Amino acid sequence: TGTDGRIRFSDVFKRLLPLFVFILLITVDQLTKSYFKYLHDQSPWTHTDVISGFFSFVYTFNTGAAWSFLSGKEWAQTFFKVLTAVAIVVFYIYYIFACKKNYALLRTALLLIIAGTLGNFIDRLAYNGVVDFLSFTFGSYGFPIFNLADAFMCIGVALLLIHYLFFDNNALFGKRKKDGTKISD
C-alpha cells in the first residue's frame, strides 16, 4: 500500500506475478504430458525425431524417479508420493521465508523447484508414474528421457546453487572488500 493507505497496482502485480508464473508452468507441463500421452494412447506413437541424432520426442512412462531409480517397485510409488508431498511443503515454507528477504533469484529458483515437483506429483497421483518425452543424444550417450517438470526442477536447483554461491549474505564467492569483509547489499 502507498503512504495514503491505497493499494498500488505495482504491489498487486508483484504479488500476483509469481502465482501467475507458477500456474503457467504447471499448466504447460501438464498440457505437454497430456499431449504426448494422448498421442501414445491413440497410435501407439512412441518416437519423433526433431533434430536427427540429437533431439527427439520419445514417449516413456517412468514409475521410478530420476534415471528410473526404483522403477517397477510397487512400494516405490507410495514412497515417492509421500516424499514429494513433504518436499512440496518444505519448499513452500522455504519460499515464504525467501519472500521476506529481497532475493529475486532465490524466489525464482524455489518457484521453479516447487512447480516441477508439483507437476510430477500430479502425474504420480493420476497415473502412478510420470510421463516423460524429451530425449537428447550426445554422440553415443543417450541422456535419460525427461519432461518439463524435470527441467523446471533442474533449472531451479542450478539457480539455487548460483544464489548460495554468489548472492547470499554468506555466499562462498560473494563480493568482498579488500579486507575480506562482505560488501553489504
Side-chain angles (χ1 to χ4, degrees):
T1 60
T3 55
D4 59 0
R6 295 187 331 177
I7 297 173
R8 292 184 300 204
F9 175 75
S10 62
D11 291 337
V12 172
F13 181 76
K14 249 173 42 177
R15 292 180 188 271
L16 290 181
L17 182 61
L19 179 62
F20 174 75
V21 169
F22 180 77
I23 291 169
L24 181 66
L25 292 171
I26 296 291
T27 301
V28 170
D29 173 63
Q30 289 301 301
L31 285 174
T32 55
K33 289 176 185 174
S34 294
Y35 175 72
F36 287 103
K37 185 174 183 338
Y38 172 80
L39 285 179
H40 175 74
D41 291 348
Q42 295 303 310
S43 326
W45 170 89
T46 58
H47 181 269
T48 298
D49 279 334
V50 178
I51 301 172
S52 184
F54 174 66
F55 174 56
S56 304
F57 291 124
V58 178
Y59 176 86
T60 60
F61 185 74
N62 185 1
T63 59
W67 285 271
S68 297
F69 177 67
L70 297 178
S71 184
K73 309 281 187 210
E74 288 185 37
W75 58 269
Q77 282 307 308
T78 303
F79 172 72
F80 291 139
K81 288 173 188 173
V82 170
L83 183 65
T84 304
V86 170
I88 290 169
V89 170
V90 168
F91 279 116
Y92 181 69
I93 291 168
Y94 189 21
Y95 180 82
I96 291 170
F97 284 109
C99 285
K100 292 180 181 180
K101 295 184 178 186
N102 199 19
Y103 290 139
L105 187 63
L106 177 59
R107 289 191 313 268
T108 302
L110 292 169
L111 185 80
L112 285 165
I113 292 168
I114 296 166
T117 305
L118 185 59
N120 282 342
F121 186 57
I122 291 168
D123 275 23
R124 289 194 189 285
L125 292 176
Y127 312 121
N128 279 325
V130 176
V131 173
D132 290 326
F133 57 88
L134 298 169
S135 175
F136 288 89
T137 303
F138 303 96
S140 62
Y141 176 71
F143 192 80
I145 300 168
F146 62 100
N147 58 48
L148 292 179
D150 299 332
F152 299 157
M153 287 187 281
C154 289
I155 293 166
V157 168
L159 293 176
L160 193 69
L161 289 172
I162 290 168
H163 167 78
Y164 282 112
L165 288 173
F166 299 101
F167 299 110
D168 187 64
N169 284 336
N170 298 314
L172 183 60
F173 301 109
K175 295 180 182 177
R176 302 200 181 272
K177 296 177 188 175
K178 288 183 181 181
D179 66 2
T181 59
K182 175 92 168 89
I183 296 174
S184 60
D185 295 329

